[in-house]
Amino acid sequence: MNAERYIGANWPAVHGPSEPRELAIWLLDRGFHGLQPAPSPRPLNWRRLRDSIQDLPFSLAALRLDPIDAGSAAQSSGIGSAHEGTRKAAQQALLTGMQQAASLGINRLVLEPGLVPVADEVGPENLADPGLAWTEDLAASQRARRRSRLESALDQSCRSLHWACSQMPEMELALTGSRSVFGLGEPEGLEAIFEDLSSCRLGYWHDTALTARRQEVLGEEQGDWLDRFSPRTLGISLGDSGDGRLDLPPGSGLVDYPLLSSYWRHAGIKPTLVVELSPSVEQGEIPGVHAFLTKFGL
């Protein structure tokens, strides 16, 4: 039996029809069982989409907050800030995201867990920017700047996440890896957060393309994420990474899909599967995406 696959909002927002019900039917015809709400190049009316699919075998997956990109960090990235005003604004942005999810009948929110604020100019930060020439020395230098304020940022982020959990205890928060080199979304940081907030409804969301990119730049093994967090995994974003770009078709880049498949088969987890594609991917590649993922039981 094939796994049910959702698709992230970026690709269909560009390639699909604009009318919500037509979009759902168009995606069903292309082998997808649902859609993950998230910011997209063409804004989608999520409320209208929800109302129009009641009689269709189509559903909405966990809502995803803005990923943290250099120069345009999501407001919620400040939950680890030492500045109270920044932190309060970030907490409110997080709460707004939780409320939006609930209004769509969704009880799960996917987010990066915040940034370590660094002194002076930020400099190169975005691991998802193909225009940045990351070198081993540059990555090490930026990570060293991060370490000096890591503990304080982790403490503030945990306090903010605990506050958010207390506001809407029925909502699951799925923490994912960070696109910023200064992000708390890395194996040790996530492990510390999960340990500190054991009473909250927290889980892990595995981003295949991002973890491959982080291995390429920062040396974080893809298998380490799976070793640590497989029992906590609520969802998996299925894409690929190559030439500094994320969200390529699965199988076209650096993601170790045989390794991922082994965890899927043997760990007993049944996470939500979301294909995450760049809008630059042509429609004709979709059958190949499904065939590749089916080969690995994903």
Side-chain angles (χ1 to χ4, degrees), residues 209-269:
L210 181 61
T211 52
R213 179 60 173 162
R214 290 185 67 95
Q215 178 175 332
E216 182 183 19
V217 177
L218 303 173
E220 298 168 356
E221 296 291 334
Q222 295 175 51
D224 188 29
W225 300 77
L226 299 168
D227 283 336
R228 294 178 192 243
F229 306 127
S230 281
R232 295 182 177 273
T233 301
L234 301 175
I236 304 175
S237 293
L238 299 164
D240 223 316
S241 172
D243 298 323
R245 298 168 58 213
L246 302 185
D247 303 335
L248 301 177
S252 64
L254 301 174
V255 173
D256 190 339
Y257 272 97
L259 177 67
L260 179 64
S261 176
S262 70
Y263 279 86
W264 168 260
R265 291 197 308 268
H266 302 307
I269 59 173

Short mmCIF file of all heavy atoms in Angstrom, two decimals, residues 209-269:
data_model
loop_
_atom_site.label_atom_id
_atom_site.label_comp_id
_atom_site.label_asym_id
_atom_site.label_seq_id
_atom_site.Cartn_x
_atom_site.Cartn_y
_atom_site.Cartn_z
N ALA A 209 15.95 17.75 2.93
CA ALA A 209 16.85 18.62 2.16
C ALA A 209 17.72 19.46 3.08
O ALA A 209 18.92 19.63 2.84
CB ALA A 209 16.04 19.51 1.22
N LEU A 210 17.13 19.99 4.14
CA LEU A 210 17.87 20.85 5.05
C LEU A 210 18.93 20.07 5.81
O LEU A 210 20.07 20.55 5.99
CB LEU A 210 16.92 21.55 6.02
CG LEU A 210 17.59 22.49 7.01
CD1 LEU A 210 18.31 23.62 6.29
CD2 LEU A 210 16.56 23.05 7.98
N THR A 211 18.60 18.87 6.30
CA THR A 211 19.60 18.11 7.03
C THR A 211 20.76 17.70 6.11
O THR A 211 21.92 17.66 6.54
CB THR A 211 18.99 16.86 7.69
OG1 THR A 211 18.27 16.10 6.73
CG2 THR A 211 18.05 17.25 8.82
N ALA A 212 20.46 17.44 4.84
CA ALA A 212 21.54 17.15 3.89
C ALA A 212 22.42 18.37 3.68
O ALA A 212 23.66 18.26 3.60
CB ALA A 212 20.96 16.68 2.56
N ARG A 213 21.80 19.54 3.59
CA ARG A 213 22.56 20.78 3.42
C ARG A 213 23.40 21.07 4.67
O ARG A 213 24.56 21.50 4.56
CB ARG A 213 21.62 21.93 3.13
CG ARG A 213 22.29 23.29 2.97
CD ARG A 213 23.30 23.31 1.84
NE ARG A 213 23.80 24.67 1.59
CZ ARG A 213 24.91 24.93 0.92
NH1 ARG A 213 25.65 23.94 0.45
NH2 ARG A 213 25.30 26.18 0.73
N ARG A 214 22.84 20.84 5.85
CA ARG A 214 23.59 21.08 7.08
C ARG A 214 24.76 20.10 7.20
O ARG A 214 25.82 20.45 7.72
CB ARG A 214 22.67 20.99 8.29
CG ARG A 214 21.67 22.16 8.40
CD ARG A 214 20.86 22.07 9.69
NE ARG A 214 21.69 22.28 10.86
CZ ARG A 214 21.86 23.45 11.48
NH1 ARG A 214 21.23 24.54 11.04
NH2 ARG A 214 22.64 23.53 12.54
N GLN A 215 24.60 18.89 6.72
CA GLN A 215 25.73 17.96 6.70
C GLN A 215 26.82 18.47 5.77
O GLN A 215 28.01 18.42 6.10
CB GLN A 215 25.28 16.57 6.26
CG GLN A 215 26.43 15.56 6.16
CD GLN A 215 25.97 14.16 5.84
OE1 GLN A 215 24.87 13.77 6.16
NE2 GLN A 215 26.83 13.39 5.19
N GLU A 216 26.42 18.97 4.61
CA GLU A 216 27.39 19.45 3.62
C GLU A 216 28.19 20.63 4.16
O GLU A 216 29.41 20.70 3.97
CB GLU A 216 26.65 19.86 2.35
CG GLU A 216 27.56 20.34 1.23
CD GLU A 216 26.79 20.80 0.01
OE1 GLU A 216 25.58 21.10 0.12
OE2 GLU A 216 27.40 20.87 -1.08
N VAL A 217 27.53 21.57 4.85
CA VAL A 217 28.20 22.80 5.30
C VAL A 217 28.78 22.66 6.70
O VAL A 217 29.89 23.13 6.97
CB VAL A 217 27.22 23.99 5.25
CG1 VAL A 217 27.88 25.26 5.80
CG2 VAL A 217 26.74 24.23 3.83
N LEU A 218 28.03 22.02 7.60
CA LEU A 218 28.38 22.01 9.02
C LEU A 218 28.85 20.65 9.53
O LEU A 218 29.25 20.54 10.70
CB LEU A 218 27.19 22.48 9.85
CG LEU A 218 26.62 23.86 9.50
CD1 LEU A 218 25.35 24.13 10.27
CD2 LEU A 218 27.67 24.95 9.76
N GLY A 219 28.76 19.63 8.70
CA GLY A 219 29.24 18.31 9.11
C GLY A 219 28.30 17.54 10.01
O GLY A 219 28.71 16.53 10.61
N GLU A 220 27.05 17.97 10.13
CA GLU A 220 26.07 17.25 10.96
C GLU A 220 25.51 16.07 10.17
O GLU A 220 24.82 16.25 9.17
CB GLU A 220 24.93 18.19 11.38
CG GLU A 220 25.39 19.36 12.22
CD GLU A 220 24.32 20.43 12.37
OE1 GLU A 220 23.24 20.30 11.76
OE2 GLU A 220 24.57 21.41 13.10
N GLU A 221 25.80 14.86 10.61
CA GLU A 221 25.40 13.67 9.87
C GLU A 221 23.88 13.54 9.80
O GLU A 221 23.19 13.74 10.80
CB GLU A 221 25.99 12.42 10.53
CG GLU A 221 27.51 12.35 10.51
CD GLU A 221 28.06 12.13 9.10
OE1 GLU A 221 27.33 11.57 8.26
OE2 GLU A 221 29.21 12.55 8.86
N GLN A 222 23.38 13.19 8.62
CA GLN A 222 21.93 12.99 8.46
C GLN A 222 21.41 11.93 9.42
O GLN A 222 20.33 12.06 9.99
CB GLN A 222 21.61 12.60 7.02
CG GLN A 222 21.92 13.68 5.99
CD GLN A 222 21.69 13.23 4.57
OE1 GLN A 222 20.63 12.70 4.23
NE2 GLN A 222 22.69 13.41 3.72
N GLY A 223 22.19 10.87 9.62
CA GLY A 223 21.75 9.80 10.50
C GLY A 223 21.66 10.20 11.96
O GLY A 223 20.91 9.59 12.73
N ASP A 224 22.43 11.24 12.36
CA ASP A 224 22.39 11.67 13.76
C ASP A 224 21.01 12.20 14.14
O ASP A 224 20.50 11.93 15.23
CB ASP A 224 23.47 12.74 14.00
CG ASP A 224 23.63 13.09 15.46
OD1 ASP A 224 23.39 12.22 16.32
OD2 ASP A 224 24.00 14.25 15.76
N TRP A 225 20.40 12.98 13.22
CA TRP A 225 19.06 13.49 13.47
C TRP A 225 18.08 12.32 13.66
O TRP A 225 17.23 12.34 14.55
CB TRP A 225 18.58 14.35 12.31
CG TRP A 225 19.40 15.56 12.00
CD1 TRP A 225 20.59 15.60 11.34
CD2 TRP A 225 19.09 16.92 12.32
NE1 TRP A 225 21.04 16.90 11.22
CE2 TRP A 225 20.13 17.73 11.81
CE3 TRP A 225 18.01 17.54 12.97
CZ2 TRP A 225 20.15 19.12 11.95
CZ3 TRP A 225 18.01 18.92 13.10
CH2 TRP A 225 19.07 19.70 12.60
N LEU A 226 18.22 11.32 12.80
CA LEU A 226 17.31 10.18 12.85
C LEU A 226 17.55 9.33 14.09
O LEU A 226 16.60 8.85 14.72
CB LEU A 226 17.48 9.35 11.58
CG LEU A 226 17.15 10.10 10.28
CD1 LEU A 226 17.64 9.31 9.07
CD2 LEU A 226 15.66 10.37 10.18
N ASP A 227 18.81 9.15 14.47
CA ASP A 227 19.12 8.40 15.68
C ASP A 227 18.50 9.04 16.92
O ASP A 227 17.94 8.37 17.78
CB ASP A 227 20.64 8.31 15.89
CG ASP A 227 21.31 7.29 14.99
OD1 ASP A 227 20.62 6.36 14.54
OD2 ASP A 227 22.51 7.43 14.73
N ARG A 228 18.62 10.35 16.99
CA ARG A 228 18.16 11.06 18.19
C ARG A 228 16.64 11.22 18.25
O ARG A 228 16.05 11.14 19.33
CB ARG A 228 18.80 12.45 18.25
CG ARG A 228 20.30 12.48 18.45
CD ARG A 228 20.78 13.92 18.45
NE ARG A 228 22.21 14.07 18.35
CZ ARG A 228 22.98 14.62 19.30
NH1 ARG A 228 22.44 15.03 20.43
NH2 ARG A 228 24.28 14.75 19.11
N PHE A 229 16.03 11.48 17.08
CA PHE A 229 14.66 11.99 17.12
C PHE A 229 13.61 11.12 16.43
O PHE A 229 12.45 11.51 16.36
CB PHE A 229 14.62 13.39 16.50
CG PHE A 229 15.60 14.36 17.12
CD1 PHE A 229 16.49 15.07 16.34
CD2 PHE A 229 15.64 14.53 18.50
CE1 PHE A 229 17.40 15.96 16.90
CE2 PHE A 229 16.54 15.41 19.08
CZ PHE A 229 17.42 16.12 18.29
N SER A 230 13.99 9.95 15.94
CA SER A 230 12.99 9.11 15.26
C SER A 230 11.74 8.87 16.11
O SER A 230 10.62 8.97 15.60
CB SER A 230 13.60 7.78 14.84
OG SER A 230 14.35 7.93 13.66
N PRO A 231 11.88 8.53 17.41
CA PRO A 231 10.66 8.29 18.20
C PRO A 231 9.76 9.52 18.34
O PRO A 231 8.58 9.39 18.64
CB PRO A 231 11.21 7.85 19.56
CG PRO A 231 12.59 7.37 19.29
CD PRO A 231 13.08 8.24 18.19
N ARG A 232 10.33 10.71 18.13
CA ARG A 232 9.57 11.96 18.28
C ARG A 232 9.04 12.48 16.94
O ARG A 232 8.38 13.51 16.90
CB ARG A 232 10.45 13.05 18.88
CG ARG A 232 10.93 12.79 20.30
CD ARG A 232 11.76 13.97 20.78
NE ARG A 232 12.18 13.82 22.15
CZ ARG A 232 11.47 14.19 23.21
NH1 ARG A 232 10.27 14.74 23.03
NH2 ARG A 232 11.93 14.04 24.43
N THR A 233 9.35 11.80 15.84
CA THR A 233 9.08 12.35 14.52
C THR A 233 7.59 12.37 14.22
O THR A 233 6.93 11.34 14.19
CB THR A 233 9.81 11.54 13.43
OG1 THR A 233 11.21 11.58 13.69
CG2 THR A 233 9.56 12.14 12.05
N LEU A 234 7.07 13.58 13.97
CA LEU A 234 5.66 13.78 13.61
C LEU A 234 5.48 13.91 12.11
O LEU A 234 4.39 13.64 11.59
CB LEU A 234 5.12 15.03 14.31
CG LEU A 234 5.19 15.04 15.84
CD1 LEU A 234 4.73 16.39 16.37
CD2 LEU A 234 4.36 13.92 16.43
N GLY A 235 6.52 14.36 11.40
CA GLY A 235 6.40 14.56 9.97
C GLY A 235 7.75 14.61 9.31
O GLY A 235 8.79 14.80 9.96
N ILE A 236 7.75 14.42 7.99
CA ILE A 236 8.98 14.47 7.20
C ILE A 236 8.72 15.30 5.95
O ILE A 236 7.77 15.03 5.20
CB ILE A 236 9.45 13.06 6.78
CG1 ILE A 236 9.64 12.16 8.00
CG2 ILE A 236 10.74 13.15 5.97
CD1 ILE A 236 9.99 10.72 7.63
N SER A 237 9.56 16.30 5.71
CA SER A 237 9.54 17.04 4.45
C SER A 237 10.47 16.34 3.49
O SER A 237 11.67 16.21 3.75
CB SER A 237 9.98 18.50 4.67
OG SER A 237 9.03 19.20 5.44
N LEU A 238 9.93 15.88 2.37
CA LEU A 238 10.67 15.08 1.40
C LEU A 238 11.10 15.94 0.22
O LEU A 238 10.26 16.38 -0.57
CB LEU A 238 9.80 13.91 0.92
CG LEU A 238 9.34 12.95 2.01
CD1 LEU A 238 8.17 12.09 1.52
CD2 LEU A 238 10.49 12.08 2.47
N GLY A 239 12.38 16.20 0.14
CA GLY A 239 12.94 16.96 -0.97
C GLY A 239 14.38 16.55 -1.13
O GLY A 239 14.79 15.48 -0.70
N ASP A 240 15.18 17.40 -1.74
CA ASP A 240 16.60 17.10 -1.88
C ASP A 240 17.40 18.39 -1.92
O ASP A 240 16.83 19.49 -2.03
CB ASP A 240 16.86 16.25 -3.12
CG ASP A 240 17.87 15.12 -2.84
OD1 ASP A 240 18.89 15.41 -2.17
OD2 ASP A 240 17.63 13.99 -3.26
N SER A 241 18.71 18.26 -1.83
CA SER A 241 19.60 19.41 -1.77
C SER A 241 20.80 19.17 -2.67
O SER A 241 21.39 18.08 -2.66
CB SER A 241 20.08 19.62 -0.32
OG SER A 241 21.08 20.61 -0.24
N GLY A 242 21.18 20.20 -3.44
CA GLY A 242 22.35 20.12 -4.30
C GLY A 242 22.74 21.48 -4.82
O GLY A 242 21.87 22.33 -5.04
N ASP A 243 24.03 21.73 -4.96
CA ASP A 243 24.53 23.03 -5.44
C ASP A 243 24.02 24.18 -4.59
O ASP A 243 23.76 25.28 -5.11
CB ASP A 243 24.15 23.25 -6.90
CG ASP A 243 24.75 22.21 -7.83
OD1 ASP A 243 25.90 21.80 -7.58
OD2 ASP A 243 24.07 21.79 -8.79
N GLY A 244 23.87 23.94 -3.28
CA GLY A 244 23.42 24.98 -2.38
C GLY A 244 21.94 25.24 -2.40
O GLY A 244 21.46 26.12 -1.68
N ARG A 245 21.19 24.52 -3.21
CA ARG A 245 19.74 24.73 -3.33
C ARG A 245 18.98 23.65 -2.59
O ARG A 245 19.39 22.49 -2.55
CB ARG A 245 19.34 24.73 -4.81
CG ARG A 245 19.96 25.84 -5.63
CD ARG A 245 19.75 25.60 -7.12
NE ARG A 245 18.32 25.50 -7.43
CZ ARG A 245 17.83 24.72 -8.39
NH1 ARG A 245 18.65 23.96 -9.11
NH2 ARG A 245 16.54 24.70 -8.64
N LEU A 246 17.85 24.05 -2.01
CA LEU A 246 16.97 23.12 -1.32
C LEU A 246 15.72 22.85 -2.16
O LEU A 246 15.45 23.54 -3.13
CB LEU A 246 16.56 23.67 0.05
CG LEU A 246 17.67 24.01 1.03
CD1 LEU A 246 17.07 24.41 2.37
CD2 LEU A 246 18.64 22.85 1.21
N ASP A 247 14.97 21.85 -1.73
CA ASP A 247 13.66 21.52 -2.31
C ASP A 247 13.76 21.10 -3.78
O ASP A 247 12.89 21.40 -4.60
CB ASP A 247 12.67 22.68 -2.14
CG ASP A 247 12.50 23.06 -0.67
OD1 ASP A 247 12.72 22.18 0.19
OD2 ASP A 247 12.15 24.21 -0.38
N LEU A 248 14.82 20.38 -4.10
CA LEU A 248 14.93 19.73 -5.39
C LEU A 248 14.14 18.42 -5.36
O LEU A 248 13.80 17.92 -4.28
CB LEU A 248 16.41 19.45 -5.70
CG LEU A 248 17.36 20.65 -5.74
CD1 LEU A 248 18.78 20.18 -5.99
CD2 LEU A 248 16.92 21.66 -6.79
N PRO A 249 13.85 17.81 -6.50
CA PRO A 249 13.12 16.55 -6.50
C PRO A 249 13.88 15.47 -5.74
O PRO A 249 15.11 15.35 -5.87
CB PRO A 249 13.01 16.21 -7.99
CG PRO A 249 13.12 17.52 -8.69
CD PRO A 249 14.07 18.33 -7.88
N PRO A 250 13.20 14.68 -4.91
CA PRO A 250 13.87 13.59 -4.19
C PRO A 250 14.64 12.69 -5.13
O PRO A 250 14.16 12.31 -6.20
CB PRO A 250 12.70 12.85 -3.53
CG PRO A 250 11.64 13.89 -3.37
CD PRO A 250 11.76 14.77 -4.58
N GLY A 251 15.87 12.37 -4.71
CA GLY A 251 16.72 11.51 -5.52
C GLY A 251 17.68 12.25 -6.42
O GLY A 251 18.53 11.63 -7.07
N SER A 252 17.59 13.58 -6.46
CA SER A 252 18.43 14.35 -7.37
C SER A 252 19.62 15.01 -6.67
O SER A 252 20.38 15.73 -7.32
CB SER A 252 17.60 15.44 -8.06
OG SER A 252 17.11 16.38 -7.11
N GLY A 253 19.78 14.76 -5.37
CA GLY A 253 20.83 15.46 -4.64
C GLY A 253 21.49 14.63 -3.57
O GLY A 253 21.78 13.44 -3.78
N LEU A 254 21.72 15.22 -2.41
CA LEU A 254 22.58 14.65 -1.37
C LEU A 254 21.83 13.91 -0.27
O LEU A 254 22.46 13.37 0.64
CB LEU A 254 23.40 15.78 -0.73
CG LEU A 254 24.30 16.58 -1.68
CD1 LEU A 254 24.93 17.76 -0.93
CD2 LEU A 254 25.37 15.69 -2.27
N VAL A 255 20.50 13.89 -0.30
CA VAL A 255 19.75 13.21 0.75
C VAL A 255 19.96 11.70 0.65
O VAL A 255 19.87 11.12 -0.44
CB VAL A 255 18.24 13.54 0.66
CG1 VAL A 255 17.45 12.70 1.66
CG2 VAL A 255 18.02 15.02 0.92
N ASP A 256 20.23 11.08 1.79
CA ASP A 256 20.45 9.63 1.86
C ASP A 256 19.09 8.95 2.04
O ASP A 256 18.68 8.64 3.14
CB ASP A 256 21.39 9.30 3.01
CG ASP A 256 21.86 7.85 3.00
OD1 ASP A 256 21.18 7.02 2.37
OD2 ASP A 256 22.89 7.55 3.63
N TYR A 257 18.40 8.71 0.93
CA TYR A 257 17.08 8.10 1.01
C TYR A 257 17.09 6.64 1.45
O TYR A 257 16.18 6.20 2.16
CB TYR A 257 16.31 8.30 -0.31
CG TYR A 257 15.56 9.61 -0.30
CD1 TYR A 257 16.10 10.74 -0.89
CD2 TYR A 257 14.33 9.72 0.35
CE1 TYR A 257 15.41 11.96 -0.85
CE2 TYR A 257 13.65 10.93 0.40
CZ TYR A 257 14.19 12.04 -0.20
OH TYR A 257 13.53 13.24 -0.14
N PRO A 258 18.10 5.84 1.08
CA PRO A 258 18.14 4.48 1.65
C PRO A 258 18.22 4.49 3.18
O PRO A 258 17.58 3.68 3.85
CB PRO A 258 19.40 3.88 1.02
CG PRO A 258 19.53 4.60 -0.29
CD PRO A 258 19.09 6.01 0.01
N LEU A 259 18.99 5.43 3.74
CA LEU A 259 19.09 5.54 5.19
C LEU A 259 17.74 5.95 5.79
O LEU A 259 17.27 5.35 6.76
CB LEU A 259 20.16 6.57 5.57
CG LEU A 259 20.33 6.86 7.06
CD1 LEU A 259 20.88 5.64 7.78
CD2 LEU A 259 21.26 8.06 7.26
N LEU A 260 17.12 6.96 5.20
CA LEU A 260 15.82 7.41 5.69
C LEU A 260 14.80 6.29 5.62
O LEU A 260 14.02 6.07 6.56
CB LEU A 260 15.34 8.61 4.86
CG LEU A 260 13.98 9.20 5.23
CD1 LEU A 260 14.01 9.79 6.63
CD2 LEU A 260 13.55 10.24 4.21
N SER A 261 14.81 5.55 4.54
CA SER A 261 13.86 4.45 4.37
C SER A 261 14.04 3.39 5.43
O SER A 261 13.06 2.80 5.92
CB SER A 261 14.04 3.83 2.98
OG SER A 261 13.21 2.71 2.80
N SER A 262 15.30 3.14 5.84
CA SER A 262 15.53 2.12 6.87
C SER A 262 14.90 2.51 8.19
O SER A 262 14.40 1.66 8.93
CB SER A 262 17.04 1.88 7.04
OG SER A 262 17.67 2.99 7.66
N TYR A 263 14.91 3.80 8.51
CA TYR A 263 14.26 4.26 9.74
C TYR A 263 12.74 4.16 9.61
O TYR A 263 12.04 3.80 10.56
CB TYR A 263 14.67 5.69 10.05
CG TYR A 263 16.01 5.79 10.74
CD1 TYR A 263 17.19 5.83 10.00
CD2 TYR A 263 16.11 5.82 12.12
CE1 TYR A 263 18.42 5.89 10.61
CE2 TYR A 263 17.34 5.88 12.75
CZ TYR A 263 18.49 5.92 11.99
OH TYR A 263 19.71 5.99 12.62
N TRP A 264 12.25 4.50 8.45
CA TRP A 264 10.80 4.41 8.21
C TRP A 264 10.31 2.98 8.42
O TRP A 264 9.28 2.73 9.02
CB TRP A 264 10.52 4.88 6.78
CG TRP A 264 9.15 4.60 6.26
CD1 TRP A 264 8.78 3.58 5.42
CD2 TRP A 264 7.96 5.34 6.52
NE1 TRP A 264 7.45 3.65 5.15
CE2 TRP A 264 6.91 4.72 5.81
CE3 TRP A 264 7.68 6.47 7.28
CZ2 TRP A 264 5.61 5.18 5.83
CZ3 TRP A 264 6.38 6.94 7.31
CH2 TRP A 264 5.36 6.30 6.59
N ARG A 265 11.08 1.99 7.95
CA ARG A 265 10.66 0.59 8.03
C ARG A 265 10.83 0.01 9.42
O ARG A 265 9.99 -0.75 9.90
CB ARG A 265 11.45 -0.26 7.04
CG ARG A 265 11.13 0.00 5.58
CD ARG A 265 11.63 -1.15 4.71
NE ARG A 265 13.03 -1.43 4.97
CZ ARG A 265 14.05 -0.89 4.31
NH1 ARG A 265 13.78 0.00 3.36
NH2 ARG A 265 15.30 -1.20 4.58
N HIS A 266 11.93 0.35 10.10
CA HIS A 266 12.29 -0.36 11.32
C HIS A 266 11.97 0.38 12.61
O HIS A 266 11.91 -0.24 13.67
CB HIS A 266 13.79 -0.70 11.29
CG HIS A 266 14.20 -1.53 10.12
ND1 HIS A 266 13.56 -2.71 9.79
CD2 HIS A 266 15.16 -1.35 9.18
CE1 HIS A 266 14.12 -3.23 8.71
NE2 HIS A 266 15.09 -2.41 8.32
N ALA A 267 11.78 1.69 12.54
CA ALA A 267 11.53 2.44 13.78
C ALA A 267 10.07 2.42 14.20
O ALA A 267 9.72 2.85 15.29
CB ALA A 267 12.00 3.89 13.63
N GLY A 268 9.19 1.93 13.33
CA GLY A 268 7.78 1.84 13.68
C GLY A 268 7.07 3.17 13.70
O GLY A 268 5.99 3.29 14.29
N ILE A 269 7.64 4.20 13.08
CA ILE A 269 7.01 5.52 13.07
C ILE A 269 6.15 5.67 11.82
O ILE A 269 6.43 5.08 10.78
CB ILE A 269 8.05 6.65 13.14
CG1 ILE A 269 9.03 6.56 11.96
CG2 ILE A 269 8.80 6.62 14.46
CD1 ILE A 269 9.98 7.72 11.84
#
